[in-house]
């Protein structure tokens, strides 16, 4: 029976969001979207340690693989 109050509150909040536009700092938004053009980090180096360049080991692993016994 308490659903009526919850629904009324949700409707009120939705109406406020729909019809009330908050003050937006457009210059700050423009600065954020424009950015400086360079990042603080080099993302290519983050995964360098995970690169598997040794294909020969992979071939040996495939030959010796067998499914686990049940």
């Amino acid at each position: 029976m308490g659903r009526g109050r919850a629904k009324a509150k949700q409707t009120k909040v939705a109406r406020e969001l729909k019809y009330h536009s908050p003050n937006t700092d457009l210059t700050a938004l423009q600065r954020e979207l424009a950015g400086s053009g360079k990042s603080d980090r080099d993302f290519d180096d983050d995964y360098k340690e995970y690169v598997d360049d040794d294909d020969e080991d992979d071939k040996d692993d495939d030959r010796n693989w067998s499914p686990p016994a049940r």
Side-chain angles (χ1 to χ4, degrees):
M1 289 221 116
R3 174 81 175 111
R5 282 189 184 173
K7 185 174 181 187
K9 186 172 184 177
Q10 288 175 352
T11 303
K12 179 183 176 185
V13 170
R15 229 179 245 130
E16 286 178 15
L17 290 173
K18 183 177 180 180
Y19 295 114
H20 177 263
S21 60
N23 296 333
T24 304
D25 186 2
L26 297 177
T27 56
L29 178 62
Q30 184 179 10
R31 274 183 282 148
E32 183 178 338
L33 292 175
S36 64
K38 59 182 181 177
S39 68
D40 296 338
R41 297 175 53 192
D42 187 10
F43 291 106
D44 292 337
D45 290 338
D46 289 346
Y47 297 103
K48 195 176 278 186
E49 64 186 78
Y50 299 111
V51 174
D52 185 14
D53 291 334
D54 194 9
D55 293 332
E56 294 172 3
D57 288 343
D58 293 337
K59 291 176 186 174
D60 293 337
D61 291 343
D62 290 340
R63 270 188 298 189
N64 297 328
W65 184 85
S66 60
R70 290 188 169 204

